[in-house]
C-alpha cells in the first residue's frame, strides 16, 4: 500500500502537459473484477461487533452512470459509501473502482474518486479560491497547473465572479457548488455525493440537480449519490438501489421499479413502500432531524 502511494505521488508530481480539455480525464485501467464496470462489489460486508451494517452487497455501476442509493437511516448507505471511498475497511467481500481494490489500494482509490460528504467541507473563513487552492495542494496537483485548474473549475461551477469572496458570505447553493468543485479538481472518474441537497431551499436544490446533469453530460462523470428525496432520485438517476437493514433489496431504473408494481401512475415512493414496507421519511428520527436542521442552518 505504501509503495502504491509513493508511485502515485511521484507520477502526479511530474510536470505533464495539460489535456486539451480540463475535463479530459485519464484512461482507467482494466477493472479488477473483470466486468467492464467502473465500480463493482462482490458480497461486500461490514460488521460492527454483532451488528451487520452492510450485508453481502453486490453492485456493478457502468462508466458515466448516475446511480442512486435509497434507504432509511440505518439501511447501510453511509457505511457502504465509507467503504467505497476507502474510509472504512470491509469485514468481508471485495470492491474495486477503476481497476483498484478498495481495501488493498486505498491511496490509488482516493486519486480516482471525488467525495462530497454531508458535513460542511468548505472553510467559511477563506475565499472560494483559497479553499480550492488547499484542495489542489492536497491532491498534489503540480504547482504550475493549479491556478489554471482552479480558474477553469470556478468557471464551470459559475463561481468565477465570487471566487475572492469569503465562503461565509455564499448562499447554500453556492457552497454546495464550491464543495463539488473541491471534489473534482483532480478530475476523478467517479464522484460520490452524500445527501447533496439536504438543507437546501427548492431553488438551490434545482441548481444542484442541474449541476449533476451537467457533470454527466459534459464530463462523462460517473456519479453515486445518496438521497432521502425520492423525486430527486427519479429525476437524476439512471438506476437506483433500495437498501434496507444492510441489504440491497432491489436494483433497477426508476421506471422499472415503478412498472414492477403493475399499477397505474405508480411513483418511486410507491415502489419504496412496496419493497421496504415503509415510507422513506419514517427513517428520520430525532437525531437525524437535528442533523438536517444544523446542516440547513450552516448552508443558510
Amino acid at each position: 500500500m505504501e509503495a502504491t502511494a509513493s508511485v502515485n505521488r511521484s507520477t502526479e508530481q511530474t510536470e505533464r502537459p495539460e489535456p486539451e480539455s480540463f475535463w479530459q480525464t485519464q484512461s482507467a485501467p482494466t477493472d479488477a473484477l473483470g466486468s467492464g464496470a467502473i465500480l463493482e462489489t462482490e458480497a461486500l460486508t461490514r460488521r460492527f461487533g454483532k451488528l451487520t451494517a452492510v450485508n453481502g452487497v453486490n453492485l456493478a455501476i457502468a462508466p458515466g452512470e448516475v446511480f442512486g442509493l435509497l434507504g432509511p437511516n440505518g439501511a447501510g448507505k453511509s457505511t457502504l459509501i465509507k467503504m467505497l471511498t476507502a474510509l472504512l475497511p470491509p469485514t468481508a467481500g471485495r470492491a474495486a473502482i477503476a481497476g483498484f481494490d478498495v481495501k488493498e489500494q486505498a491511496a490509488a482509490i482516493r486519486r480516482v474518486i471525488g467525495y462530497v460528504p454531508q458535513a460542511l467541507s468548505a472553510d467559511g473563513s477563506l475565499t472560494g479560491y483559497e479553499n480550492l487552492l488547499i484542495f489542489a495542494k492536497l491532491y498534489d496537483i503540480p504547482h504550475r497547473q493549479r491556478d489554471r485548474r482552479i480558474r477553469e473549475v470556478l468557471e464551470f461551477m459559475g463561481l468565477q465572479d465570487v471566487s475572492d469572496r469569503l465562503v461565509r458570505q455564499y448562499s447554500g447553493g453556492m457552497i454546495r457548488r464550491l464543495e463539488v468543485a473541491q471534489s473534482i479538481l483532480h478530475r476523478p472518474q467517479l464522484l460520490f455525493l452524500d445527501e447533496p441537497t439536504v438543507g437546501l431551499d427548492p431553488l438551490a436544490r434545482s441548481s444542484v440537480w442541474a449541476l449533476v446533469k451537467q457533470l454527466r453530460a459534459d464530463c462523462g462523470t460517473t456519479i453515486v449519490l445518496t438521497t432521502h428525496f425520492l423525486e430527486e432520485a427519479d429525476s437524476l438517476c439512471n438506476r437506483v438501489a433500495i437498501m434496507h437493514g444492510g441489504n440491497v433489496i432491489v436494483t433497477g431504473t426508476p421506471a422499472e421499479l415503478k412498472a414492477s408494481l403493475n399499477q397505474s401512475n405508480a411513483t418511486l415512493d410507491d415502489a419504496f413502500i412496496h419493497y421496504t414496507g415503509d415510507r422513506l421519511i419514517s427513517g428520520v428520527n430525532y437525531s437525524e432531524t437535528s442533523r438536517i436542521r444544523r446542516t440547513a442552518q450552516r448552508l443558510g
Side-chain angles (χ1 to χ4, degrees), residues 5-40:
S6 176
V7 169
N8 280 322
R9 280 195 296 269
S10 175
T11 301
E12 188 67 30
Q13 288 291 358
T14 303
E15 293 288 350
R16 299 183 300 257
E18 286 279 87
E20 292 182 6
S21 168
F22 174 80
W23 301 106
Q24 180 182 334
T25 58
Q26 303 300 316
S27 298
T30 304
D31 61 293
L33 300 183
S35 70
I38 190 171
L39 184 157
E40 187 171 16

Side-chain angles (χ1 to χ4, degrees), residues 271-291:
F272 186 90
I273 296 169
H274 174 78
Y275 286 107
T276 68
D278 205 351
R279 289 184 178 274
L280 187 56
I281 194 67
S282 67
V284 180
N285 55 20
Y286 178 88
S287 171
E288 180 66 8
T289 299
S290 176
R291 183 191 64 78

Side-chain angles (χ1 to χ4, degrees), residues 150-217:
I150 292 171
R151 298 294 179 190
E152 289 180 337
V153 77
L154 282 167
E155 182 176 358
F156 182 80
M157 293 292 164
L159 296 172
Q160 66 272 28
D161 293 336
V162 295
S163 63
D164 294 327
R165 186 186 303 176
L166 292 178
V167 171
R168 68 165 65 102
Q169 299 171 350
Y170 282 18
S171 68
M174 291 162 63
I175 293 172
R176 271 290 186 263
R177 279 184 279 151
L178 177 63
E179 290 174 322
V180 173
Q182 292 172 166
S183 72
I184 63 174
L185 266 177
H186 60 306
R187 307 186 189 120
Q189 297 173 36
L190 189 150
L191 178 63
F192 291 94
L193 301 174
D194 195 3
E195 300 285 353
T197 60
V198 67
L200 298 183
D201 61 45
L203 183 61
R205 187 181 302 171
S206 296
S207 174
V208 173
W209 289 14
L211 175 59
V212 170
K213 293 175 181 177
Q214 185 179 9
L215 282 170
R216 180 173 182 265

